[in-house]
């Protein structure tokens, strides 16, 4: 697919087949996944020891494949210097065929492109291995915490506010909280809340998909959906679908909700459940260890430099083994031991 974009010069501006940010090793996570590997995750081995997933042979194979694409000219020739903003600009300028990301990138990344390039069209595909298996992992269930000063006179209010935000208001209606519904319908999001964190059910993506599909199929009205967010977004989708070929400023929100909750989740959550072709792992998510606090920045820099050097051909593929040894020597082995001891306790 990437080669087709390049060969046809589809954008007319020296089209790039695919692009990844050169300042984020995790931007190409899905390529490692397709090789059965993972980026920057702690994996517990059967004997109880811990392995840093980036050092595994599957990641080496992924970077080797990316180097092949780079040499062939279907991976961005400026790989290593592009930022996320640069890639967004490429999309706006009609210079990029394939971009990678989570199911929700239409909500923030692609919607900015659609606003400036109304004729832009997207379709979502899940990246699989040669056998059609999608290798994926469980995210950390808790990555943000609400901390209250011990001197706070009424600390319980912090929790009460969370309950209001993610229980009362999450299930609000136009009758019970008209200002909240108006805010959501106008595109309001989490930055408007007193805490920049979310407390959501673990099956939230499935709720998004099933309820929006039910509204589209006429099995449920927007008002009958179970959360306030779905009421606003499902109505926006219905408004967009009245004339999907002509997206306006008023229907752009409906477009990105449709692309994420129907197309994106349809290709991931729904298709994976129906096809039964997902292979899940559950990484370990330790707290910051003493050595990690001191040396993680150096290790991240070592990873990024090796990643860019191997993909661009500045270093041969076998340099990966040198990088892995250096990563361990610079503190990686010590961190792995600390992580192992933490979970053993």
């Amino acid at each position: 697919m990437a080669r087709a974009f390049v060969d046809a010069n589809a954008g007319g501006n020296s089209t790039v087949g695919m692009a990844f940010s050169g300042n984020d090793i995790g931007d190409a996570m899905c390529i490692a996944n397709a090789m059965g590997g993972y980026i920057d995750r702690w994996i517990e081995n059967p004997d109880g020891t811990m392995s840093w997933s980036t050092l595994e042979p599957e990641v080496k194979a992924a970077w080797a494949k990316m180097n092949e694409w780079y040499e062939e000219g279907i991976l961005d020739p400026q790989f290593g210097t592009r930022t996320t903003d640069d890639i967004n600009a490429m999309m706006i300028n009609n210079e990029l065929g394939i971009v990678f990301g989570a199911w929700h990138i239409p909500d923030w990344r692609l919607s900015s492109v659609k606003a400036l390039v109304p004729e832009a069209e997207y379709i979502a595909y899940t990246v699989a291995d040669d056998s059609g298996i999608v290798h994926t992992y469980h995210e950390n269930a808790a990555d943000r915490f609400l901390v209250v000063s011990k001197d706070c006179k009424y600390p319980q209010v912090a929790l009460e506010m969370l309950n209001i935000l993610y229980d009362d208001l999450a299930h609000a209606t136009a009758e019970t909280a008209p200002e909240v519904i108006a805010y959501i319908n106008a595109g309001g999001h989490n930055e408007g809340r007193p805490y920049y964190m979310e407390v959501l059910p673990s099956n939230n993506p499935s709720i998004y998909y099933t309820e929006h599909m039910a509204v589209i199929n006429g099995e449920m009205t927007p008002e009958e959906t179970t959360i306030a967010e779905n009421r606003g977004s499902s109505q926006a989708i219905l408004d967009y679908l009245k004339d999907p070929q002509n997206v306006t400023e008023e229907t752009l929100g409906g477009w990105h909700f449709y692309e994420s909750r129907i197309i994106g989740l349809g290709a991931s959550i729904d298709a994976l459940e129906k096809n039964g072709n997902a292979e899940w792992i559950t990484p370990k998510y330790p707290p910051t260890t003493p050595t990690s606090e001191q040396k993680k920045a150096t290790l991240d820099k070592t990873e990024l430099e090796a990643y860019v050097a191997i993909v661009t051909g500045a270093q041969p593929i076998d340099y990966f083994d040198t990088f892995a040894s250096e990563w361990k020597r610079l503190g990686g082995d010590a961190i792995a031991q600390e992580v192992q001891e933490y979970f053993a306790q």
Side-chain angles (χ1 to χ4, degrees), residues 17-71:
M18 66 178 87
F20 299 94
S21 170
N23 58 6
D24 180 5
I25 185 176
D27 204 37
M29 169 74 87
C30 58
I31 306 303
N33 294 163
M35 301 292 182
Y38 301 88
I39 299 294
D40 288 359
R41 296 292 183 271
W42 285 109
I43 309 296
E44 185 174 18
N45 301 311
D47 62 359
T49 58
M50 293 291 169
S51 295
W52 188 239
S53 63
T54 307
L55 308 183
E56 296 303 306
E58 293 83 359
V59 174
K60 179 180 181 179
W63 291 1
K65 177 58 67 176
M66 291 176 67
N67 172 252
E68 289 180 25
W69 292 336
Y70 180 84
E71 297 294 340

Side-chain angles (χ1 to χ4, degrees), residues 1-18 90-91 93-98 117 119-121:
M1 292 171 64
R3 189 179 298 110
F5 279 108
V6 174
D7 291 347
N9 196 17
N13 295 312
S14 302
T15 307
V16 171
M18 66 178 87
M90 292 170 68
M91 288 191 285
N93 294 330
N94 204 23
E95 297 172 343
L96 179 61
I98 298 175
V117 190
E119 67 273 19
E121 295 183 12

Side-chain angles (χ1 to χ4, degrees), residues 262-292:
I262 302 300
I263 303 301
L265 286 176
S268 54
I269 298 295
D270 186 60
L272 294 179
E273 290 180 354
K274 289 179 178 177
N275 298 334
N277 63 329
E279 183 174 290
W280 292 85
I281 68 163
T282 303
K284 293 291 188 179
Y285 294 100
T288 301
T289 69
T291 304
S292 179

